[in-house]
Amino acid sequence: MSGGAPSPGRAPVPGWPAAAPSSPPLPLRPSAPVLGASILGPLVNLTMRGLLGRRRILLVGLLALAPVGVAVVLVVGGGLSTTAQLTRQLYDSLVMTTIVPLVALVLGTTAIGAEIDDGTVVHLLTKPVGRGWIVFAKMLVAGTAGVALCGTSVLVAGILLVRLDAPGLVLGMLVGAVVAVIAYTAVFVTLSVWTGRALIAGLAYVLLWEGFIASFFSGTRLLSIREYGLAVAAGIAGPEAGTLARDVPMATGLVLAAVVTSVAFWLGARRLARFEVSDAG
Amino acid sequence: MSAVAPTTTVAVTAVAKWYGNVVAVNDITFGLEPGVTGLLGPNGAGKSTLLHLVAGLLRPSAGSVTVDGRPTFGDPAVYRRVGLVPEREAIFPYLTAREFVRLSAQLQGLPFGSGAVDRALGTVELSNAADRELATYSKGMRQRAKVAAALVHDPAVLVLDEPFNGMDPRQRLHMMALLRALADEGRVILFSSHILEEVERVAERVLVVVAGRLAASGDFREIRRLMTDRPHSFTLRTSDDRALAGRLVGRPTVSGLTFEDGRLDVRTADFATFTRELPVLARDAGVSIFELAPADESLESVFDYLVRR
């Protein structure tokens, strides 16, 4: 892969898209002395501190751990025999419908949207840094945080509920959530580069499109990140998938998630390269 | 800091910037060479928009902005040559000043340990406070931290938006001296201000922007003369308005006079002579002056005058 873009081989996040675009679309002359991979470290470091420094990260953490809380209540509280079926329902209707998209929404829009809102993004934009790398660093940090939070939550909740009776199901749910959270964060990072109302737009997508329209019209499922995640979860769970089973094959889900993530990255980098800092006065 | 060579030039050619129906900057043309240029104008005149255009953060709706012949918008490579100190106080509050300036150095690709960070912090006299978080800084200190971050890569062009805002008089003098020193090294310095005296103290050339248009440009003394030669109005409160008015009426420097309600309004076409004559006239008439206030000395009225010319 020739200089510039994040290569899938180096992806530090499990499930990071196989098809990352080959180079950020920057309007640069070949000789332009613009920095690339060498500044990823400082950018990632800055983004991490920015994300961890904001109070909303605590909220996101609590949100992400909600399934664990529910699992604990179910296991300890009822003495009720927690079955794999209950676990599937929890995963389908809570984790993949609400937790994963909302965690990704807050992380994705905070990673760069907050810097655009408060004006600190100017300090990044006035540097000879390829815009694709700024977007990539934001997606990397938000995605990694999302994977860590949602992954832990699904794994712990899954093991609490089905113990080791259905390891395939737990693994499937884990990978499905990871794939979904990566695609979601990429989309939401890009959304906040394109619009100052990314949070609203993101909520509209999650609640209206995925929550409502896509659940009624099966044809629109191919345009739903949630469905990609569920397809991957069902594919890995195999016979243990039960009601999680999907019309969309796992390979299709994976490829589409990778395409969505890559396109989101490309659009984000493209937009940031032509980004105008409005500062009235 | 090393001298900058060869000579860098900034060219702004017939630039306009509009947002929908709102015209922020209208058909402005000027060139910048090494030295300090002050961008003077009232609030909302389009100074920030113009500086953002120069710094490549806004796309011109018409015309072009180039640094050494290369358009500034959409080309990150331009920031090798350009540093920007934005007006907004936006900083990363969780970073220390040293971290903030180091980040800038890293994103400029400066080698680690090159001393550039310490040098920049020393230039703005922040070395002692460099390890405190920016959140704890005063407005003036944040301003200096931003200057250090913009200077760390030794840019040939430095653009500063209202750099003296929030500074105390000592910091202000220091910043003025710093801008002069940077200009003497051959840098192009462009800064905005809405305060005449700031621009007068530090700038060799002045661009006056009013309502998005370039109202005047050139040598400062020329513009100063235009500003002081215009008719001035003063309001006086004295122990005996009528007696003083009698004396004033006879003077050629006084072009108009009214008195009512214990208040004397005087118009003069020759500001300098009038201000020398007035105390003498008052003394000779045995009149005490309690108050002397310029009636129209707001910067806006100065700009109005320049635009109407």
Side-chain angles (χ1 to χ4, degrees):
Chain A
M1 191 165 285
S2 63
S7 96
R10 278 202 311 270
V13 183
W16 195 264
S22 64
S23 95
L26 300 171
L28 296 177
R29 275 144 266 207
S31 61
V34 169
L35 298 165
S38 61
I39 45 74
L40 192 57
L43 281 178
V44 164
N45 184 29
L46 178 78
T47 309
M48 272 173 54
R49 294 182 67 171
L51 215 52
L52 297 176
R54 293 181 199 267
R55 232 172 308 161
R56 62 183 88 164
I57 194 76
L58 282 177
L59 230 65
V60 175
L62 287 177
L63 183 67
L65 291 178
V68 175
V70 173
V72 168
V73 168
L74 287 176
V75 171
V76 176
L80 105 172
S81 58
T82 53
T83 61
Q85 183 48 30
L86 186 64
T87 309
R88 291 184 194 104
Q89 280 174 6
L90 188 67
Y91 184 70
D92 193 357
S93 60
L94 178 69
V95 175
M96 294 299 273
T97 320
T98 314
I99 305 295
V100 166
L102 289 189
V103 165
L105 181 61
V106 178
L107 291 174
T109 53
T110 305
I112 193 163
E115 286 178 359
I116 292 174
D117 282 347
D118 68 19
T120 46
V121 77
V122 167
H123 299 299
L124 301 184
L125 292 178
T126 51
K127 300 295 182 294
V129 171
R131 294 338 188 196
W133 287 102
I134 297 179
V135 171
F136 181 64
K138 301 295 176 189
M139 288 182 176
L140 186 64
V141 172
T144 307
V147 166
L149 287 171
C150 296
T152 309
S153 175
V154 168
L155 192 63
V156 173
I159 290 174
L160 279 175
L161 287 170
V162 299
R163 276 160 242 109
L164 297 176
D165 298 345
L169 178 60
V170 174
L171 183 66
M173 294 192 305
L174 175 64
V175 178
V178 163
V179 168
V181 83
I182 290 170
Y184 276 126
T185 43
V187 167
F188 294 142
V189 165
T190 289
L191 209 53
S192 32
V193 181
W194 278 84
T195 166
R197 296 187 172 79
L199 208 60
I200 309 259
L203 273 179
Y205 169 76
V206 170
L207 297 180
L208 293 180
W209 180 261
E210 295 202 340
F212 188 70
I213 297 171
S215 63
F216 277 101
F217 305 99
S218 57
T220 60
R221 282 186 188 160
L222 281 177
L223 295 172
S224 157
I225 292 171
R226 174 172 176 268
E227 290 297 320
Y228 308 155
L230 286 170
V232 171
I236 291 176
E240 292 168 14
T243 52
L244 289 182
R246 281 320 202 242
D247 317 333
V248 182
M250 174 163 78
T252 311
L254 266 179
V255 168
L256 288 177
V259 167
V260 164
T261 308
S262 310
V263 169
F265 169 73
W266 184 76
L267 286 174
R270 191 183 134 95
R271 173 70 173 182
L272 200 63
R274 310 296 292 171
F275 194 82
E276 294 193 68
V277 178
S278 56
D279 190 56
Chain B
M1 247 172 241
S2 59
V4 181
T7 301
T8 293
T9 54
V10 177
V12 173
T13 313
V15 159
K17 179 70 187 173
W18 55 78
Y19 302 93
N21 287 332
V22 181
V23 178
V25 163
N26 192 356
D27 192 22
I28 287 186
T29 299
F30 61 86
L32 297 177
E33 284 166 11
V36 181
T37 304
L39 182 59
L40 185 64
N43 289 325
K47 297 193 299 290
S48 280
T49 304
L50 197 52
L51 292 183
H52 278 66
L53 284 162
V54 170
L57 289 173
L58 287 174
R59 180 212 313 260
S61 306
S64 74
V65 180
T66 60
V67 170
D68 289 340
R70 292 173 65 158
T72 55
F73 183 75
D75 181 4
V78 86
Y79 299 112
R80 292 262 191 222
R81 316 269 296 144
V82 177
L84 171 73
V85 181
E87 181 189 11
R88 273 179 82 175
E89 226 179 301
I91 33 105
F92 305 100
Y94 41 86
L95 297 185
T96 67
R98 189 184 304 283
E99 287 169 333
F100 180 53
V101 178
R102 186 185 298 138
L103 173 75
S104 190
Q106 286 169 327
L107 295 182
Q108 287 287 353
L110 301 184
F112 184 77
S114 64
V117 174
D118 289 325
R119 197 167 56 232
L121 285 166
T123 303
V124 299
E125 291 185 345
L126 274 182
S127 302
N128 290 331
D131 294 310
R132 269 168 52 195
E133 281 184 9
L134 292 170
T136 69
Y137 269 29
S138 71
K139 202 171 173 184
M141 290 170 82
R142 289 181 192 189
Q143 195 69 34
R144 285 187 282 155
K146 286 190 292 182
V147 172
L151 272 181
V152 73
H153 63 296
D154 219 7
V157 180
L158 186 63
V159 177
L160 308 97
D161 199 353
E162 297 281 354
F164 302 109
N165 265 6
M167 289 194 168
D168 65 34
R170 202 194 67 84
Q171 293 169 344
R172 205 174 285 239
L173 285 177
H174 178 248
M175 178 66 73
M176 287 178 179
L178 176 60
L179 293 187
R180 290 265 17 121
L182 291 169
D184 291 342
E185 290 171 356
R187 270 170 247 273
V188 177
I189 313 275
L190 175 65
F191 78 99
S192 68
S193 173
H194 58 278
I195 298 171
L196 192 60
E197 282 66 32
E198 287 178 355
V199 176
E200 184 173 22
R201 295 280 294 267
V202 69
E204 297 146 348
R205 285 181 302 274
V206 186
L207 304 166
V208 182
V209 177
V210 182
R213 288 182 162 278
L214 197 59
S217 69
D219 183 82
F220 192 86
R221 281 173 295 265
E222 181 68 10
I223 288 174
R224 182 81 205 185
R225 195 183 55 73
L226 289 173
M227 287 180 173
T228 49
D229 281 359
R230 76 209 162 84
H232 283 64
S233 294
F234 294 94
T235 300
L236 288 146
R237 278 202 320 111
T238 69
S239 58
D240 189 344
D241 289 350
R242 190 173 292 274
L244 184 61
R247 300 274 179 143
L248 285 171
V249 159
R251 305 303 308 171
T253 52
V254 173
S255 56
L257 194 150
T258 57
F259 70 106
E260 55 181 324
D261 302 337
R263 205 183 85 172
L264 182 61
D265 290 326
V266 185
R267 276 198 312 284
T268 170
D270 186 345
F271 171 76
T273 313
F274 173 77
T275 48
R276 278 196 302 274
E277 281 181 355
L278 180 66
V280 181
L281 286 172
R283 192 192 57 207
D284 294 350
V287 175
S288 303
I289 296 177
F290 302 133
E291 190 181 316
L292 168 66
D296 62 348
E297 212 39 20
S298 74
L299 196 57
E300 278 69 16
S301 71
V302 176
F303 291 130
D304 274 351
Y305 170 74
L306 283 176
V307 174
R308 274 187 276 107
R309 265 182 69 249

